[in-house]
Amino acid sequence: MSEQAREFALNEFFKAPQHLKQSDQASVTPASVTPALQKFHHWRQHLPDRAYSLLTFAILLLIWYTFSALKVVPELFLPSPASVLRKFISVADEGFVDASLLAHTVTSIARVLVALILATVTAVPIGIFIGLNRYARATIDPLIDFYRPIPPLAYLPLIVIWFGIGETSKVILIYLAVFAPISISTVQGVRRVDQSRIRASLSLGANRWQLIRYVILPSTLPDVLTGVRIGLGVGWSTLVAAELIAATRGLGFMIQSAAQFLVTDVVVMGIIVIALIAFIFEWGLRRLQKILVPWSEKT
Protein backbone atom coordinates (compact mmCIF):
# COMPACT_ATOMS: atom_id res chain seq x y z
CA MET A 1 0.00 0.00 0.00
CA SER A 2 1.37 3.41 -0.97
CA GLU A 3 1.87 6.29 1.46
CA GLN A 4 -1.06 8.21 -0.05
CA ALA A 5 -3.37 5.21 0.31
CA ARG A 6 -2.35 4.72 3.94
CA GLU A 7 -2.97 8.38 4.74
CA PHE A 8 -6.38 8.25 3.03
CA ALA A 9 -7.35 5.12 4.95
CA LEU A 10 -6.31 6.65 8.27
CA ASN A 11 -8.21 9.86 7.55
CA GLU A 12 -11.32 7.90 6.66
CA PHE A 13 -10.94 5.78 9.80
CA PHE A 14 -10.71 8.78 12.12
CA LYS A 15 -13.51 10.79 10.52
CA ALA A 16 -16.17 8.90 12.47
CA PRO A 17 -16.09 5.91 14.86
CA GLN A 18 -16.58 2.73 12.90
CA HIS A 19 -18.61 1.04 15.62
CA LEU A 20 -21.47 3.58 15.57
CA LYS A 21 -24.73 2.49 14.05
CA GLN A 22 -26.29 4.35 11.15
CA SER A 23 -28.74 6.08 13.48
CA ASP A 24 -25.93 7.10 15.85
CA GLN A 25 -23.91 8.51 12.97
CA ALA A 26 -26.90 10.46 11.79
CA SER A 27 -27.04 12.19 15.17
CA VAL A 28 -23.40 13.25 14.85
CA THR A 29 -24.03 15.59 11.93
CA PRO A 30 -22.56 19.00 11.22
CA ALA A 31 -25.93 20.52 12.06
CA SER A 32 -25.66 19.28 15.63
CA VAL A 33 -22.19 20.69 16.08
CA THR A 34 -21.53 24.30 16.95
CA PRO A 35 -20.16 26.52 14.15
CA ALA A 36 -17.02 27.14 16.15
CA LEU A 37 -16.34 23.40 16.39
CA GLN A 38 -16.99 23.03 12.68
CA LYS A 39 -14.44 25.75 11.94
CA PHE A 40 -11.96 24.07 14.25
CA HIS A 41 -12.33 20.72 12.48
CA HIS A 42 -12.04 22.40 9.08
CA TRP A 43 -8.93 24.30 10.19
CA ARG A 44 -7.38 21.16 11.67
CA GLN A 45 -7.90 19.09 8.51
CA HIS A 46 -6.41 21.72 6.21
CA LEU A 47 -3.45 22.58 8.43
CA PRO A 48 -0.21 21.29 6.84
CA ASP A 49 2.12 18.95 8.70
CA ARG A 50 4.81 21.62 8.80
CA ALA A 51 2.50 23.83 10.85
CA TYR A 52 2.20 21.09 13.47
CA SER A 53 5.98 20.83 13.60
CA LEU A 54 6.33 24.59 14.08
CA LEU A 55 3.62 24.49 16.74
CA THR A 56 5.53 21.78 18.60
CA PHE A 57 8.71 23.86 18.65
CA ALA A 58 6.73 26.93 19.71
CA ILE A 59 5.24 25.02 22.65
CA LEU A 60 8.68 23.76 23.70
CA LEU A 61 10.06 27.29 23.49
CA LEU A 62 7.15 28.58 25.57
CA ILE A 63 7.76 25.91 28.23
CA TRP A 64 11.46 26.81 28.28
CA TYR A 65 10.67 30.51 28.63
CA THR A 66 8.12 29.83 31.39
CA PHE A 67 10.52 27.71 33.41
CA SER A 68 13.27 30.33 33.16
CA ALA A 69 10.91 33.24 33.89
CA LEU A 70 9.48 31.57 36.99
CA LYS A 71 13.00 30.65 38.18
CA VAL A 72 11.98 27.01 38.53
CA VAL A 73 15.55 26.13 37.58
CA PRO A 74 18.47 28.43 38.44
CA GLU A 75 19.91 30.48 35.58
CA LEU A 76 23.21 28.63 35.92
CA PHE A 77 21.56 25.34 34.93
CA LEU A 78 18.89 26.61 32.52
CA PRO A 79 19.55 30.01 30.93
CA SER A 80 16.61 31.83 29.41
CA PRO A 81 16.01 31.93 25.64
CA ALA A 82 16.82 35.65 25.68
CA SER A 83 20.14 34.97 27.43
CA VAL A 84 21.04 32.30 24.87
CA LEU A 85 20.11 34.64 22.01
CA ARG A 86 22.27 37.42 23.45
CA LYS A 87 25.16 35.00 23.84
CA PHE A 88 24.68 33.83 20.25
CA ILE A 89 25.00 37.43 19.02
CA SER A 90 27.98 38.04 21.31
CA VAL A 91 29.88 34.91 20.24
CA ALA A 92 29.07 35.54 16.56
CA ASP A 93 30.51 39.05 16.91
CA GLU A 94 33.34 38.65 19.40
CA GLY A 95 34.06 34.93 19.29
CA PHE A 96 34.72 32.42 22.04
CA VAL A 97 38.00 30.72 23.05
CA ASP A 98 40.02 32.60 20.41
CA ALA A 99 37.74 31.82 17.45
CA SER A 100 34.52 33.22 16.06
CA LEU A 101 31.30 31.22 15.91
CA LEU A 102 31.68 31.03 12.12
CA ALA A 103 35.17 29.57 12.47
CA HIS A 104 33.95 26.95 14.97
CA THR A 105 31.02 26.07 12.71
CA VAL A 106 33.02 25.81 9.49
CA THR A 107 35.65 23.64 11.19
CA SER A 108 33.06 21.20 12.52
CA ILE A 109 31.16 21.04 9.22
CA ALA A 110 34.40 20.37 7.34
CA ARG A 111 35.32 17.49 9.65
CA VAL A 112 31.90 15.87 9.36
CA LEU A 113 31.69 16.33 5.58
CA VAL A 114 35.15 14.91 4.92
CA ALA A 115 34.40 11.87 7.08
CA LEU A 116 30.96 11.46 5.46
CA ILE A 117 32.36 11.62 1.92
CA LEU A 118 35.15 9.15 2.70
CA ALA A 119 32.71 6.79 4.39
CA THR A 120 30.26 6.93 1.48
CA VAL A 121 32.96 6.37 -1.14
CA THR A 122 34.28 3.31 0.68
CA ALA A 123 31.18 1.88 2.35
CA VAL A 124 28.98 1.70 -0.74
CA PRO A 125 31.36 -0.46 -2.84
CA ILE A 126 32.13 -2.65 0.16
CA GLY A 127 28.41 -3.01 0.91
CA ILE A 128 27.69 -4.01 -2.69
CA PHE A 129 30.60 -6.47 -2.60
CA ILE A 130 29.29 -8.00 0.65
CA GLY A 131 25.79 -8.24 -0.75
CA LEU A 132 26.92 -10.01 -3.92
CA ASN A 133 29.70 -12.25 -2.64
CA ARG A 134 29.13 -14.80 0.09
CA TYR A 135 32.86 -14.99 0.88
CA ALA A 136 32.98 -11.25 1.47
CA ARG A 137 29.84 -11.53 3.59
CA ALA A 138 31.49 -14.25 5.66
CA THR A 139 34.74 -12.31 6.19
CA ILE A 140 33.94 -8.57 6.19
CA ASP A 141 30.42 -8.51 7.62
CA PRO A 142 31.46 -9.94 11.04
CA LEU A 143 34.16 -7.27 11.35
CA ILE A 144 31.61 -4.50 10.83
CA ASP A 145 29.19 -6.13 13.27
CA PHE A 146 32.03 -6.45 15.78
CA TYR A 147 33.07 -2.80 15.94
CA ARG A 148 29.70 -1.17 15.19
CA PRO A 149 28.25 -1.40 18.76
CA ILE A 150 31.46 -0.04 20.33
CA PRO A 151 31.07 3.62 21.40
CA PRO A 152 33.55 5.94 19.66
CA LEU A 153 34.94 7.10 23.00
CA ALA A 154 36.05 3.51 23.67
CA TYR A 155 38.52 3.38 20.77
CA LEU A 156 39.35 7.10 20.88
CA PRO A 157 42.59 6.56 22.90
CA LEU A 158 43.74 3.90 20.45
CA ILE A 159 43.19 6.24 17.50
CA VAL A 160 45.19 8.95 19.27
CA ILE A 161 48.05 6.49 19.82
CA TRP A 162 48.03 5.39 16.19
CA PHE A 163 47.37 8.70 14.37
CA GLY A 164 48.31 11.42 16.85
CA ILE A 165 46.21 14.41 17.89
CA GLY A 166 45.91 16.17 14.54
CA GLU A 167 42.98 16.45 12.17
CA THR A 168 43.50 12.90 10.90
CA SER A 169 42.47 11.28 14.16
CA LYS A 170 39.31 13.41 14.38
CA VAL A 171 38.22 12.57 10.84
CA ILE A 172 38.97 8.86 11.34
CA LEU A 173 36.88 8.74 14.50
CA ILE A 174 33.88 10.27 12.72
CA TYR A 175 34.57 8.09 9.66
CA LEU A 176 34.37 4.88 11.68
CA ALA A 177 31.08 5.99 13.24
CA VAL A 178 29.57 6.83 9.83
CA PHE A 179 30.93 3.84 7.88
CA ALA A 180 28.88 1.11 9.57
CA PRO A 181 25.35 2.53 8.96
CA ILE A 182 26.10 3.22 5.28
CA SER A 183 27.62 -0.22 4.62
CA ILE A 184 24.83 -2.07 6.41
CA SER A 185 22.14 -0.12 4.56
CA THR A 186 23.89 -0.84 1.26
CA VAL A 187 24.02 -4.57 2.00
CA GLN A 188 20.32 -4.62 2.81
CA GLY A 189 19.58 -2.72 -0.37
CA VAL A 190 21.52 -5.25 -2.48
CA ARG A 191 19.66 -8.13 -0.87
CA ARG A 192 16.32 -6.51 -1.72
CA VAL A 193 17.05 -6.09 -5.43
CA ASP A 194 14.34 -7.70 -7.54
CA GLN A 195 15.75 -10.99 -8.84
CA SER A 196 13.59 -10.80 -11.98
CA ARG A 197 15.42 -7.62 -13.01
CA ILE A 198 18.76 -9.34 -12.54
CA ARG A 199 17.70 -12.35 -14.59
CA ALA A 200 16.28 -10.12 -17.31
CA SER A 201 19.54 -8.15 -17.51
CA LEU A 202 21.63 -11.31 -17.70
CA SER A 203 19.39 -12.74 -20.41
CA LEU A 204 19.95 -9.56 -22.45
CA GLY A 205 23.71 -10.07 -22.26
CA ALA A 206 24.70 -7.69 -19.46
CA ASN A 207 28.08 -8.37 -17.88
CA ARG A 208 28.84 -8.11 -14.17
CA TRP A 209 29.80 -4.42 -14.21
CA GLN A 210 26.80 -3.45 -16.31
CA LEU A 211 24.59 -5.37 -13.91
CA ILE A 212 26.00 -3.42 -10.96
CA ARG A 213 25.91 -0.07 -12.77
CA TYR A 214 22.43 -0.22 -14.30
CA VAL A 215 20.48 -2.57 -12.04
CA ILE A 216 21.95 -3.08 -8.58
CA LEU A 217 23.20 0.44 -7.85
CA PRO A 218 19.97 2.26 -8.87
CA SER A 219 17.89 -0.28 -6.94
CA THR A 220 20.13 0.10 -3.88
CA LEU A 221 20.29 3.91 -3.99
CA PRO A 222 17.25 4.52 -1.69
CA ASP A 223 18.85 2.35 1.01
CA VAL A 224 22.23 4.02 0.47
CA LEU A 225 20.74 7.49 0.96
CA THR A 226 18.90 6.29 4.07
CA GLY A 227 22.21 4.98 5.40
CA VAL A 228 23.87 8.31 4.64
CA ARG A 229 21.15 10.12 6.58
CA ILE A 230 21.61 7.80 9.56
CA GLY A 231 25.39 8.04 9.30
CA LEU A 232 25.24 11.82 9.23
CA GLY A 233 23.31 11.85 12.49
CA VAL A 234 25.82 9.48 14.06
CA GLY A 235 28.65 11.63 12.73
CA TRP A 236 27.34 14.76 14.41
CA SER A 237 26.90 12.88 17.68
CA THR A 238 30.52 11.68 17.41
CA LEU A 239 31.78 15.17 16.61
CA VAL A 240 31.96 16.27 20.23
CA ALA A 241 34.03 13.20 21.11
CA ALA A 242 36.30 13.79 18.10
CA GLU A 243 36.93 17.39 19.09
CA LEU A 244 38.09 16.33 22.54
CA ILE A 245 41.41 15.37 20.90
CA ALA A 246 43.46 18.49 21.50
CA ALA A 247 41.21 20.62 19.30
CA THR A 248 41.43 24.40 19.21
CA ARG A 249 38.34 24.99 17.08
CA GLY A 250 34.98 23.37 16.51
CA LEU A 251 31.50 23.42 17.98
CA GLY A 252 32.23 20.41 20.17
CA PHE A 253 35.40 22.06 21.46
CA MET A 254 33.46 25.26 22.15
CA ILE A 255 30.81 23.35 24.11
CA GLN A 256 33.41 21.46 26.14
CA SER A 257 35.36 24.63 26.93
CA ALA A 258 32.19 26.44 28.02
CA ALA A 259 31.15 23.50 30.20
CA GLN A 260 34.47 23.57 32.05
CA PHE A 261 33.83 27.18 33.09
CA LEU A 262 30.06 26.70 33.66
CA VAL A 263 29.13 29.07 30.84
CA THR A 264 25.81 27.33 30.36
CA ASP A 265 24.37 29.76 27.84
CA VAL A 266 27.24 29.00 25.46
CA VAL A 267 26.68 25.28 25.97
CA VAL A 268 22.99 25.58 25.13
CA MET A 269 23.76 27.87 22.21
CA GLY A 270 26.30 25.40 20.81
CA ILE A 271 23.83 22.52 21.13
CA ILE A 272 21.18 24.52 19.27
CA VAL A 273 23.64 25.43 16.50
CA ILE A 274 24.61 21.78 16.03
CA ALA A 275 20.94 20.79 15.95
CA LEU A 276 20.12 23.45 13.36
CA ILE A 277 23.02 22.45 11.12
CA ALA A 278 22.14 18.77 11.40
CA PHE A 279 18.51 19.61 10.58
CA ILE A 280 19.58 21.52 7.46
CA PHE A 281 21.72 18.60 6.32
CA GLU A 282 18.87 16.18 6.98
CA TRP A 283 16.45 18.36 5.02
CA GLY A 284 18.91 18.57 2.13
CA LEU A 285 19.37 14.81 2.04
CA ARG A 286 15.60 14.29 2.05
CA ARG A 287 15.26 16.64 -0.90
CA LEU A 288 18.12 14.88 -2.66
CA GLN A 289 16.45 11.53 -2.06
CA LYS A 290 13.22 12.78 -3.62
CA ILE A 291 15.13 14.02 -6.68
CA LEU A 292 17.38 11.00 -7.23
CA VAL A 293 14.96 8.23 -6.24
CA PRO A 294 11.42 9.62 -6.59
CA TRP A 295 10.03 6.10 -6.95
CA SER A 296 11.02 5.25 -3.37
CA GLU A 297 8.31 7.60 -2.03
CA LYS A 298 5.64 5.64 -3.89
CA THR A 299 6.52 2.14 -2.71
Side-chain angles (χ1 to χ4, degrees):
M1 182 183 293
S2 64
E3 187 66 25
Q4 291 84 354
R6 284 195 294 267
E7 291 181 359
F8 178 77
L10 288 174
N11 289 335
E12 291 297 321
F13 178 79
F14 286 109
K15 280 182 180 178
Q18 300 295 318
H19 63 274
L20 291 179
K21 298 179 181 179
Q22 190 68 25
S23 59
D24 296 331
Q25 292 185 8
S27 62
V28 188
T29 58
S32 63
V33 182
T34 61
L37 192 57
Q38 291 182 25
K39 292 181 180 180
F40 172 75
H41 284 296
H42 177 77
W43 172 79
R44 186 187 63 179
Q45 291 176 358
H46 290 80
L47 196 65
D49 294 342
R50 188 172 300 176
Y52 285 103
S53 301
L54 294 176
L55 182 62
T56 302
F57 283 108
I59 292 174
L60 291 176
L61 185 62
L62 180 61
I63 294 174
W64 179 15
Y65 176 80
T66 304
F67 269 72
S68 59
L70 296 177
K71 304 296 182 181
V72 177
V73 181
E75 180 78 11
L76 177 64
F77 300 105
L78 184 64
S80 65
S83 176
V84 174
L85 181 60
R86 286 193 299 268
K87 184 59 68 172
F88 174 82
I89 297 173
S90 173
V91 174
D93 184 36
E94 303 173 3
F96 187 78
V97 285
D98 299 328
S100 65
L101 179 60
L102 180 61
H104 287 303
T105 303
V106 171
T107 302
S108 295
I109 291 176
R111 287 166 180 162
V112 173
L113 282 183
V114 169
L116 180 67
I117 293 172
L118 291 176
T120 303
V121 170
T122 55
V124 173
I126 291 177
I128 293 176
F129 185 48
I130 293 173
L132 295 177
N133 191 294
R134 68 185 185 93
Y135 299 107
R137 185 163 56 250
T139 55
I140 303 177
D141 211 18
L143 297 178
I144 298 176
D145 291 336
F146 174 76
Y147 96 87
R148 180 176 59 87
I150 303 175
L153 282 175
Y155 47 80
L156 174 60
L158 189 60
I159 291 178
V160 173
I161 294 174
W162 286 351
F163 300 100
I165 58 175
E167 289 296 317
T168 303
S169 58
K170 301 175 182 59
V171 173
I172 289 177
L173 185 67
I174 302 174
Y175 167 85
L176 291 175
V178 176
F179 178 86
I182 299 178
S183 62
I184 292 173
S185 298
T186 304
V187 172
Q188 295 301 318
V190 172
R191 292 177 180 176
R192 282 200 291 265
V193 175
D194 191 356
Q195 294 299 315
S196 62
R197 298 183 62 189
I198 295 178
R199 289 192 293 268
S201 302
L202 293 176
S203 65
L204 293 174
N207 57 37
R208 187 176 185 87
W209 294 111
Q210 290 174 333
L211 184 66
I212 294 175
R213 168 66 180 82
Y214 295 104
V215 178
I216 294 177
L217 188 57
S219 301
T220 311
L221 193 56
D223 295 276
V224 171
L225 292 176
T226 300
V228 171
R229 287 168 50 193
I230 297 173
L232 183 63
V234 176
W236 278 107
S237 63
T238 311
L239 176 68
V240 177
E243 291 180 342
L244 288 174
I245 315 173
T248 57
R249 286 186 181 182
L251 293 173
F253 167 73
M254 182 185 71
I255 292 173
Q256 291 295 328
S257 300
Q260 291 176 0
F261 297 99
L262 297 179
V263 188
T264 316
D265 46 5
V266 174
V267 175
V268 176
M269 184 265 295
I271 293 173
I272 294 175
V273 170
I274 290 178
L276 289 175
I277 295 173
F279 175 80
I280 293 172
F281 274 99
E282 173 69 15
W283 178 84
L285 285 173
R286 285 179 180 269
R287 299 296 300 175
L288 182 64
Q289 190 168 6
K290 289 182 179 180
I291 295 173
L292 295 180
V293 286
W295 63 88
S296 65
E297 299 290 331
K298 302 177 181 179
T299 57

